[in-house]
Every structure is written in structure tokens, then in C-alpha cells.
Coordinates of all heavy atoms in Angstrom, one line a residue:
M1 N 128.9 99.0 119.6 CA 127.8 98.3 120.4 C 126.5 99.1 120.2 O 126.5 100.3 120.2 CB 128.2 98.2 121.8 CG 127.3 97.4 122.6 SD 128.1 96.8 124.1 CE 126.7 96.7 125.2
E2 N 125.4 98.3 120.0 CA 124.1 99.0 119.8 C 123.7 99.7 121.1 O 123.8 99.1 122.2 CB 123.1 98.0 119.4 CG 123.1 97.7 117.9 CD 122.0 96.7 117.6 OE1 120.9 96.8 118.1 OE2 122.2 95.9 116.7
E3 N 123.1 100.9 120.9 CA 122.6 101.6 122.1 C 121.1 101.2 122.2 O 120.3 101.2 121.3 CB 122.7 103.1 121.8 CG 122.3 103.9 123.1 CD 122.4 105.4 122.8 OE1 123.3 105.8 121.9 OE2 121.6 106.1 123.3
K4 N 120.8 100.8 123.4 CA 119.4 100.4 123.7 C 118.6 101.6 124.1 O 119.0 102.4 124.9 CB 119.3 99.3 124.7 CG 119.9 97.9 124.2 CD 119.5 96.8 125.1 CE 120.1 95.5 124.5 NZ 120.1 94.4 125.4
Q5 N 117.3 101.6 123.6 CA 116.5 102.7 124.0 C 115.2 102.2 124.7 O 114.8 101.1 124.4 CB 116.0 103.5 122.8 CG 117.1 104.2 122.1 CD 116.6 105.5 121.5 OE1 115.6 106.1 121.9 NE2 117.4 106.0 120.5
K6 N 114.7 102.9 125.6 CA 113.5 102.5 126.3 C 112.4 103.4 125.9 O 112.5 104.6 125.7 CB 113.7 102.6 127.8 CG 114.5 101.5 128.4 CD 114.4 101.5 129.9 CE 115.2 100.3 130.4 NZ 115.2 100.2 131.9
Y7 N 111.2 102.8 125.6 CA 110.0 103.6 125.2 C 108.9 103.3 126.2 O 108.8 102.3 126.8 CB 109.6 103.1 123.8 CG 110.6 103.4 122.7 CD1 111.6 102.5 122.3 CD2 110.6 104.7 122.1 CE1 112.5 102.8 121.4 CE2 111.5 105.0 121.2 CZ 112.5 104.1 120.8 OH 113.4 104.4 119.8
D8 N 108.0 104.3 126.3 CA 106.8 104.1 127.1 C 105.8 103.3 126.3 O 105.0 102.5 126.9 CB 106.1 105.5 127.4 CG 107.1 106.4 128.1 OD1 107.7 106.0 129.1 OD2 107.2 107.6 127.7
L9 N 105.9 103.5 124.9 CA 104.9 102.8 124.1 C 105.5 102.4 122.8 O 106.2 103.2 122.2 CB 103.7 103.7 123.8 CG 102.6 103.2 122.9 CD1 101.8 102.1 123.5 CD2 101.7 104.3 122.5
V10 N 105.3 101.2 122.4 CA 105.8 100.7 121.0 C 104.5 100.3 120.3 O 103.8 99.4 120.7 CB 106.8 99.6 121.1 CG1 107.1 99.1 119.7 CG2 108.0 100.0 121.8
V11 N 104.3 101.0 119.1 CA 103.1 100.6 118.3 C 103.6 99.8 117.2 O 104.5 100.2 116.4 CB 102.4 101.9 117.8 CG1 101.2 101.5 116.8 CG2 101.9 102.8 118.9
I12 N 103.0 98.6 117.0 CA 103.4 97.7 115.9 C 102.4 97.9 114.7 O 101.2 97.6 114.9 CB 103.5 96.2 116.3 CG1 104.5 96.1 117.5 CG2 103.8 95.3 115.2 CD1 104.6 94.7 118.1
G13 N 102.9 98.3 113.6 CA 102.1 98.5 112.4 C 101.9 99.9 112.0 O 101.3 100.7 112.7
G14 N 102.6 100.3 110.9 CA 102.5 101.7 110.5 C 101.3 102.0 109.6 O 101.4 102.4 108.5
V15 N 100.2 101.7 110.2 CA 98.9 101.9 109.5 C 98.1 103.1 110.0 O 98.6 103.6 111.0 CB 98.0 100.6 109.6 CG1 98.7 99.4 108.9 CG2 97.8 100.3 111.1
P16 N 97.0 103.5 109.4 CA 96.4 104.7 109.9 C 96.1 104.6 111.4 O 96.3 105.6 112.1 CB 95.1 104.7 109.0 CG 95.5 104.1 107.7 CD 96.5 103.0 108.1
A17 N 95.6 103.5 111.9 CA 95.3 103.4 113.3 C 96.6 103.5 114.1 O 96.7 104.2 115.2 CB 94.6 102.1 113.6
G18 N 97.7 102.8 113.6 CA 98.9 102.8 114.3 C 99.6 104.1 114.4 O 100.0 104.6 115.5
Y19 N 99.7 104.8 113.2 CA 100.5 106.1 113.3 C 99.7 107.1 114.0 O 100.2 108.0 114.6 CB 101.1 106.5 112.0 CG 100.3 106.6 110.7 CD1 99.3 107.5 110.6 CD2 100.5 105.7 109.7 CE1 98.6 107.6 109.4 CE2 99.8 105.8 108.5 CZ 98.8 106.7 108.4 OH 98.1 106.8 107.2
T20 N 98.4 107.1 113.9 CA 97.5 108.0 114.6 C 97.7 107.8 116.1 O 97.9 108.8 116.9 CB 96.0 107.9 114.3 OG1 95.9 108.0 112.9 CG2 95.2 108.9 115.0
A21 N 97.7 106.6 116.6 CA 97.9 106.3 118.0 C 99.3 106.8 118.5 O 99.5 107.3 119.5 CB 97.8 104.8 118.3
A22 N 100.3 106.5 117.6 CA 101.7 106.9 118.0 C 101.9 108.4 118.1 O 102.5 108.9 119.0 CB 102.7 106.3 116.9
V23 N 101.3 109.1 117.1 CA 101.4 110.6 117.1 C 100.6 111.1 118.3 O 101.2 112.0 119.1 CB 100.8 111.2 115.8 CG1 100.5 112.7 116.0 CG2 101.6 110.9 114.6
K24 N 99.5 110.6 118.6 CA 98.7 111.0 119.8 C 99.5 110.8 121.1 O 99.5 111.7 121.9 CB 97.3 110.3 119.8 CG 96.2 111.1 120.4 CD 95.9 112.3 119.5 CE 94.9 113.2 120.2 NZ 94.9 114.5 119.6
A25 N 100.0 109.6 121.2 CA 100.8 109.3 122.4 C 102.0 110.2 122.6 O 102.3 110.7 123.7 CB 101.3 107.8 122.3
A26 N 102.7 110.5 121.4 CA 103.8 111.4 121.5 C 103.4 112.8 121.9 O 104.0 113.5 122.7 CB 104.5 111.5 120.1
E27 N 102.2 113.2 121.4 CA 101.6 114.6 121.8 C 101.4 114.6 123.3 O 101.5 115.7 123.9 CB 100.4 114.8 121.0 CG 100.6 115.2 119.5 CD 99.3 115.4 118.7 OE1 98.2 115.1 119.2 OE2 99.5 115.7 117.5
Y28 N 101.0 113.5 123.8 CA 100.7 113.5 125.3 C 102.0 113.3 126.1 O 102.0 113.2 127.3 CB 99.8 112.3 125.6 CG 98.3 112.7 125.4 CD1 97.6 112.0 124.4 CD2 97.7 113.6 126.2 CE1 96.3 112.4 124.2 CE2 96.3 113.9 126.0 CZ 95.6 113.3 125.0 OH 94.3 113.6 124.7
G29 N 103.1 113.3 125.4 CA 104.4 113.2 126.1 C 105.0 111.9 126.3 O 106.1 111.8 126.9
Y30 N 104.4 110.8 125.7 CA 105.0 109.5 125.9 C 106.1 109.3 124.8 O 106.0 109.7 123.7 CB 103.9 108.4 125.6 CG 102.9 108.4 126.7 CD1 101.6 109.0 126.5 CD2 103.1 107.8 127.9 CE1 100.7 109.1 127.5 CE2 102.2 107.8 129.0 CZ 101.0 108.4 128.7 OH 100.0 108.5 129.7
H31 N 107.2 108.7 125.3 CA 108.3 108.4 124.4 C 107.9 107.2 123.6 O 107.7 106.1 124.1 CB 109.6 108.1 125.2 CG 110.8 108.0 124.4 ND1 111.2 108.9 123.4 CD2 111.8 107.0 124.5 CE1 112.3 108.5 122.9 NE2 112.7 107.4 123.5
T32 N 107.6 107.4 122.3 CA 106.9 106.4 121.5 C 107.7 106.0 120.3 O 108.4 106.8 119.6 CB 105.6 107.1 121.0 OG1 104.8 107.6 122.1 CG2 104.7 106.0 120.3
A33 N 107.6 104.7 120.0 CA 108.2 104.1 118.7 C 107.1 103.5 117.9 O 106.2 102.9 118.4 CB 109.3 103.1 119.1
L34 N 107.3 103.7 116.6 CA 106.4 103.1 115.6 C 107.2 102.1 114.8 O 108.2 102.4 114.2 CB 105.7 104.1 114.7 CG 104.8 103.6 113.6 CD1 103.5 103.0 114.2 CD2 104.4 104.8 112.7
V35 N 106.7 100.8 114.8 CA 107.5 99.8 114.1 C 106.7 99.3 112.9 O 105.5 98.9 113.1 CB 107.8 98.6 115.0 CG1 108.6 97.5 114.3 CG2 108.5 99.1 116.3
E36 N 107.3 99.3 111.7 CA 106.6 98.8 110.5 C 107.6 97.9 109.7 O 108.7 98.3 109.4 CB 106.1 100.0 109.6 CG 105.6 99.6 108.3 CD 104.5 98.5 108.3 OE1 103.5 98.7 109.0 OE2 104.7 97.5 107.7
A37 N 107.1 96.7 109.5 CA 108.0 95.7 108.8 C 108.1 95.9 107.3 O 109.0 95.4 106.7 CB 107.5 94.3 109.2
D38 N 107.1 96.5 106.8 CA 107.0 96.6 105.3 C 106.9 98.0 104.8 O 107.8 98.8 104.9 CB 105.8 95.7 104.8 CG 105.8 95.5 103.3 OD1 106.8 95.9 102.7 OD2 104.8 94.9 102.8
S39 N 105.7 98.4 104.4 CA 105.5 99.8 103.9 C 104.5 100.5 104.8 O 103.5 100.0 105.2 CB 104.9 99.8 102.5 OG 105.6 99.0 101.6
L40 N 104.9 101.8 105.1 CA 104.0 102.6 105.9 C 102.6 102.7 105.1 O 102.6 102.9 103.9 CB 104.6 104.0 106.1 CG 105.5 104.3 107.3 CD1 106.0 105.7 107.3 CD2 104.8 103.9 108.6
G41 N 101.6 102.6 105.8 CA 100.2 102.7 105.2 C 99.5 101.4 105.2 O 98.3 101.4 105.2
G42 N 100.3 100.3 105.3 CA 99.6 99.0 105.4 C 98.9 98.6 104.2 O 99.0 99.1 103.1
T43 N 98.0 97.6 104.3 CA 97.3 97.0 103.2 C 96.4 98.0 102.5 O 96.4 98.1 101.3 CB 96.5 95.8 103.7 OG1 97.3 94.8 104.4 CG2 95.8 95.1 102.5
C44 N 95.6 98.7 103.2 CA 94.6 99.6 102.6 C 95.2 100.6 101.7 O 94.8 100.8 100.6 CB 93.8 100.3 103.7 SG 92.4 101.2 103.1
L45 N 96.3 101.3 102.2 CA 96.9 102.4 101.4 C 97.8 101.8 100.3 O 97.9 102.5 99.2 CB 97.7 103.3 102.3 CG 96.9 104.5 102.8 CD1 95.8 104.0 103.8 CD2 97.8 105.5 103.5
N46 N 98.4 100.7 100.5 CA 99.4 100.2 99.5 C 98.9 99.2 98.5 O 99.4 99.1 97.4 CB 100.7 99.7 100.2 CG 101.4 100.8 101.0 OD1 101.9 101.7 100.4 ND2 101.5 100.7 102.3
R47 N 98.0 98.3 99.0 CA 97.6 97.2 98.1 C 96.1 97.0 98.1 O 95.6 96.4 97.2 CB 98.2 95.9 98.6 CG 99.7 95.8 98.5 CD 100.2 94.4 99.0 NE 99.9 94.2 100.4 CZ 100.7 94.8 101.4 NH1 101.7 95.5 101.1 NH2 100.4 94.5 102.7
G48 N 95.4 97.5 99.1 CA 94.0 97.1 99.2 C 93.0 98.2 98.7 O 93.0 98.5 97.5
C49 N 92.3 98.9 99.6 CA 91.2 99.8 99.3 C 91.6 100.8 98.3 O 90.9 101.0 97.2 CB 90.8 100.5 100.6 SG 90.9 99.5 102.1
I50 N 92.6 101.6 98.5 CA 92.9 102.8 97.7 C 93.4 102.4 96.3 O 92.8 102.8 95.3 CB 94.0 103.7 98.4 CG1 93.5 104.1 99.8 CG2 94.2 105.0 97.5 CD1 92.2 104.9 99.9
P51 N 94.4 101.5 96.1 CA 94.8 101.1 94.8 C 93.7 100.4 94.0 O 93.5 100.6 92.8 CB 96.0 100.1 95.0 CG 96.5 100.5 96.4 CD 95.3 100.9 97.2
T52 N 92.9 99.6 94.7 CA 91.8 98.9 94.1 C 90.8 99.8 93.5 O 90.4 99.7 92.3 CB 91.1 97.9 95.1 OG1 92.1 97.1 95.7 CG2 90.1 97.1 94.4
K53 N 90.4 100.8 94.3 CA 89.4 101.8 93.8 C 90.0 102.6 92.6 O 89.2 103.0 91.7 CB 89.0 102.8 94.9 CG 88.4 102.1 96.1 CD 87.2 101.2 95.8 CE 86.8 100.3 97.0 NZ 87.7 99.2 97.3
T54 N 91.3 102.9 92.7 CA 91.9 103.7 91.6 C 91.8 102.9 90.3 O 91.5 103.4 89.2 CB 93.3 104.1 92.0 OG1 93.3 104.8 93.2 CG2 94.0 104.9 90.9
L55 N 92.2 101.6 90.4 CA 92.2 100.7 89.2 C 90.8 100.5 88.7 O 90.6 100.6 87.5 CB 92.8 99.4 89.5 CG 94.3 99.3 89.7 CD1 94.8 98.0 90.2 CD2 95.0 99.7 88.4
L56 N 89.8 100.4 89.6 CA 88.4 100.2 89.2 C 87.9 101.4 88.4 O 87.3 101.4 87.4 CB 87.5 99.9 90.4 CG 87.6 98.5 90.9 CD1 86.7 98.4 92.2 CD2 87.1 97.5 89.9
Y57 N 88.3 102.6 89.0 CA 87.8 103.9 88.3 C 88.5 104.0 86.9 O 87.8 104.3 86.0 CB 88.2 105.1 89.2 CG 87.9 106.4 88.5 CD1 86.6 106.8 88.5 CD2 88.9 107.2 87.9 CE1 86.3 108.0 87.9 CE2 88.6 108.3 87.3 CZ 87.3 108.8 87.3 OH 87.0 109.9 86.6
S58 N 89.8 103.7 86.8 CA 90.4 103.8 85.5 C 89.8 102.8 84.5 O 89.6 103.1 83.4 CB 91.9 103.4 85.7 OG 92.6 104.4 86.5
A59 N 89.5 101.6 85.0 CA 88.9 100.6 84.1 C 87.6 101.0 83.6 O 87.2 100.8 82.4 CB 88.8 99.2 84.8
E60 N 86.8 101.6 84.5 CA 85.4 102.0 84.2 C 85.5 103.2 83.2 O 84.7 103.2 82.2 CB 84.7 102.5 85.5 CG 83.2 102.8 85.3 CD 82.6 103.3 86.6 OE1 83.1 102.9 87.7 OE2 81.7 104.0 86.5
L61 N 86.4 104.1 83.4 CA 86.5 105.2 82.5 C 87.0 104.8 81.1 O 86.5 105.2 80.1 CB 87.6 106.2 83.1 CG 87.6 107.6 82.5 CD1 86.2 108.3 82.6 CD2 88.6 108.5 83.2
Y62 N 88.0 103.8 81.1 CA 88.5 103.3 79.9 C 87.4 102.6 79.1 O 87.2 102.9 77.9 CB 89.6 102.3 80.2 CG 90.0 101.5 79.0 CD1 90.9 102.0 78.0 CD2 89.7 100.1 78.8 CE1 91.3 101.3 76.9 CE2 90.1 99.4 77.7 CZ 90.9 100.0 76.8 OH 91.3 99.3 75.7
E63 N 86.6 101.8 79.8 CA 85.5 101.1 79.1 C 84.4 102.0 78.5 O 84.0 101.9 77.4 CB 84.8 100.1 80.1 CG 83.9 99.1 79.5 CD 82.5 99.6 79.4 OE1 82.1 100.5 80.1 OE2 81.7 99.2 78.5
K64 N 84.1 103.1 79.3 CA 83.1 104.1 78.8 C 83.6 104.8 77.6 O 82.9 105.1 76.6 CB 82.8 105.0 79.9 CG 81.8 104.5 81.0 CD 81.4 105.5 82.0 CE 80.4 105.0 82.9 NZ 80.1 105.9 84.1
L65 N 84.9 105.3 77.7 CA 85.4 106.0 76.5 C 85.6 105.2 75.3 O 85.2 105.6 74.2 CB 86.8 106.6 76.9 CG 86.8 107.8 77.8 CD1 88.2 108.2 78.3 CD2 86.2 109.0 77.1
K66 N 86.0 103.9 75.5 CA 86.3 103.0 74.4 C 85.0 102.7 73.7 O 84.9 102.6 72.4 CB 86.9 101.7 74.9 CG 87.5 100.9 73.8 CD 88.3 99.8 74.4 CE 88.7 98.7 73.4 NZ 89.5 99.2 72.3
N67 N 83.9 102.6 74.4 CA 82.6 102.2 73.9 C 81.6 103.4 73.7 O 80.4 103.2 73.5 CB 82.0 101.1 74.7 CG 82.8 99.9 74.7 OD1 83.2 99.4 73.7 ND2 83.1 99.3 75.9
G68 N 82.2 104.6 73.7 CA 81.3 105.8 73.5 C 80.2 105.9 74.4 O 79.1 106.3 74.0
R69 N 80.4 105.6 75.7 CA 79.2 105.6 76.6 C 79.2 106.9 77.5 O 78.5 106.9 78.5 CB 79.3 104.4 77.5 CG 79.1 103.1 76.7 CD 78.5 101.9 77.5 NE 79.3 101.5 78.6 CZ 78.9 101.6 79.9 NH1 77.7 102.1 80.1 NH2 79.6 101.2 80.8
I70 N 79.9 107.9 77.1 CA 79.8 109.2 77.9 C 79.2 110.2 76.9 O 79.8 110.6 75.9 CB 81.2 109.7 78.3 CG1 81.9 108.7 79.3 CG2 81.0 111.0 79.1 CD1 83.2 109.1 79.8
P71 N 77.9 110.6 77.2 CA 77.2 111.4 76.2 C 78.0 112.7 75.9 O 78.4 113.4 76.8 CB 75.9 111.8 77.0 CG 75.7 110.7 78.0 CD 77.1 110.2 78.3
G72 N 78.1 113.0 74.6 CA 78.7 114.3 74.2 C 80.3 114.2 74.2 O 80.9 115.1 73.8
V73 N 80.8 113.0 74.5 CA 82.3 112.9 74.5 C 82.7 111.7 73.5 O 82.1 110.6 73.6 CB 82.8 112.6 75.9 CG1 84.3 112.3 75.8 CG2 82.5 113.7 76.8
S74 N 83.6 112.0 72.6 CA 84.1 111.0 71.8 C 85.7 111.0 71.9 O 86.2 112.1 72.0 CB 83.7 111.1 70.4 OG 84.2 112.3 69.8
A75 N 86.3 109.9 71.8 CA 87.8 109.9 71.9 C 88.3 108.8 71.0 O 87.7 107.8 70.7 CB 88.2 109.6 73.3
E76 N 89.5 109.1 70.5 CA 90.2 108.1 69.6 C 91.5 107.7 70.3 O 92.0 108.3 71.1 CB 90.5 108.8 68.3 CG 89.2 109.1 67.5 CD 89.6 109.9 66.2 OE1 90.7 110.1 65.9 OE2 88.6 110.3 65.5
N77 N 92.0 106.6 69.7 CA 93.3 106.0 70.2 C 93.4 105.9 71.7 O 94.3 106.3 72.4 CB 94.5 106.9 69.8 CG 94.6 107.0 68.3 OD1 94.3 106.0 67.6 ND2 94.9 108.2 67.7
I78 N 92.3 105.3 72.3 CA 92.3 105.1 73.7 C 93.1 103.8 74.0 O 93.0 102.8 73.3 CB 90.9 104.8 74.2 CG1 89.9 105.8 73.6 CG2 90.8 104.6 75.7 CD1 89.3 106.7 74.5
S79 N 94.0 103.9 75.0 CA 94.8 102.8 75.4 C 94.8 102.6 76.9 O 94.5 103.5 77.6 CB 96.2 102.9 74.9 OG 96.8 104.0 75.5
C80 N 95.1 101.4 77.3 CA 95.1 101.0 78.7 C 96.5 100.5 79.1 O 97.0 99.6 78.4 CB 94.0 100.0 79.0 SG 93.8 99.6 80.7
S81 N 97.1 101.0 80.1 CA 98.4 100.6 80.5 C 98.5 99.6 81.7 O 99.5 99.3 82.1 CB 99.3 101.8 80.7 OG 98.8 102.5 81.8
V82 N 97.3 99.3 82.2 CA 97.3 98.4 83.4 C 96.7 97.1 83.1 O 96.0 96.9 82.1 CB 96.6 99.0 84.6 CG1 97.4 100.1 85.2 CG2 95.2 99.5 84.2
Ligands
FAD101 C1 92.4 94.2 97.4 C2 91.8 94.7 98.7 C3 90.8 95.6 98.7 C4 90.2 96.1 99.9 N1 89.2 97.0 99.9 C5 88.7 97.4 101.0 C6 87.7 98.4 101.0 O1 87.2 98.9 99.9 N2 87.1 98.8 102.2 C7 87.6 98.3 103.4 O2 87.1 98.7 104.4 N3 88.6 97.4 103.4 C8 89.1 96.9 102.3 N4 90.1 96.0 102.3 C9 90.5 95.4 103.6 C10 91.5 96.4 104.3 O3 92.6 96.7 103.5 C11 92.0 95.7 105.6 O4 90.8 95.3 106.4 C12 92.8 96.7 106.5 O5 93.9 97.1 105.7 C13 93.2 96.0 107.7 O6 94.0 96.9 108.4 P1 94.9 96.5 109.6 O7 95.5 97.8 110.2 O8 94.3 95.5 110.5 O9 96.1 95.6 108.9 P2 97.1 96.0 107.7 O10 96.7 97.1 106.9 O11 97.4 94.7 107.0 O12 98.4 96.5 108.5 C14 99.2 95.6 109.3 C15 100.6 96.3 109.3 O13 101.4 95.8 110.3 C16 102.7 95.4 109.8 N5 103.2 94.4 110.7 C17 102.6 93.2 110.9 N6 103.4 92.5 111.7 C18 104.4 93.3 112.1 C19 105.6 93.1 112.9 N7 105.7 92.0 113.6 N8 106.4 94.1 113.0 C20 106.3 95.3 112.3 N9 105.2 95.5 111.5 C21 104.3 94.5 111.4 C22 102.4 95.0 108.4 O14 103.6 95.2 107.6 C23 101.3 96.0 107.9 O15 101.8 97.2 107.4 C24 90.7 95.5 101.2 C25 91.8 94.6 101.2 C26 92.3 94.1 100.0 C27 93.4 93.1 100.0

């Protein structure tokens, strides 16, 4: 039989705001649960802001190297894997 637990606070969403709130509440002594249905980090860390900026940076660097647009730098056999 499942054991039921009681919490003072349940935070829904393992995102930066969510886990910061959960950690802070635990530090203040509240019995806290953090619930995440998918991946810790949420949209920004897993699919949105961070991956997007990384891909944009890679694409920009690839384009500059391929077209010799970085002064003093030349490169051969440039490839892109994304
Ligand atoms: C491609 C892309 C690029 C972006 N770039 C930027 C940018 O450069 N700058 C910027 O400011 N914003 C950007 N954003 C927007 C930004 O990612 C979102 O505004 C932000 O992530 C929203 O945060 P949130 O905590 O409200 O929701 P989310 O990050 O979506 O988090 C919600 C979380 O709650 C969980 N959840 C939901 N319901 C439940 C449930 N019932 N039980 C358990 N868990 C649940 C979900 O699984 C998810 O992990 C971008 C978004 C995308 C898609």
C-alpha cells in the first residue's frame, strides 16, 4: 500500500523559479515537494532560451568561418552537424 506524505508546500514546475522557491522554503524549515512532469529546467533551459542561443551562436560562427568573415582566420573542411 502506498504511503501518503503530507507537505507544507508543493511547488508545481521544476523551473528556475520553482526550484528556487522550493529550496528557499526547505531552508526555512517547510516540508516541501517539487513536482515536475517532464524535464527539470522547463522550457527555457531545455528547449527555449538556452538551446536557441547556443544554436544561433553555432550557426553564426559556422557562417563566418565558411565565408572567411573573421579577419586573420582561415579554415578548411568546415562542416555543420545541426
Ligand atoms: C524557442 C524559444 C526561445 C525562447 N527564448 C527566450 C529568450 O531568449 N528570452 C526569454 O526571456 N524567454 C525566451 N523564451 C520563453 C521562455 O522559455 C518562457 O517564457 C519561460 O520558459 C516560461 O517559464 P515558465 O516557468 O512560466 O514555464 P516553463 O518553462 O514552460 O515551465 C513549466 C514547467 O512546469 C511543468 N508542469 C506543467 N504542468 C505541470 C503539472 N501539472 N505537474 C508537474 N509539472 C508540470 C512543465 O513540465 C514545465 O517544466 C523562449 C521560448 C522558446 C520556446
Side-chain angles (χ1 to χ4, degrees):
M1 189 159 149
E2 276 183 38
E3 189 182 327
K4 290 192 178 167
Q5 294 215 24
K6 286 192 174 180
Y7 294 94
D8 300 314
L9 175 70
V10 177
V11 178
I12 298 175
V15 294
Y19 52 69
T20 304
V23 167
K24 212 64 191 165
E27 284 173 358
Y28 279 111
Y30 293 99
H31 189 47
T32 307
L34 177 68
V35 182
E36 171 52 56
D38 191 7
S39 307
L40 272 180
T43 303
C44 186
L45 269 66
N46 293 299
R47 293 181 297 281
C49 329
I50 306 298
T52 306
K53 302 302 167 289
T54 304
L55 285 173
L56 283 174
Y57 176 75
S58 296
E60 188 180 331
L61 196 57
Y62 171 76
E63 191 274 332
K64 281 183 176 172
L65 284 171
K66 193 170 169 60
N67 296 311
R69 296 207 301 117
I70 302 179
V73 175
S74 63
E76 294 173 3
N77 298 323
I78 312 244
S79 64
C80 184
S81 60
V82 288

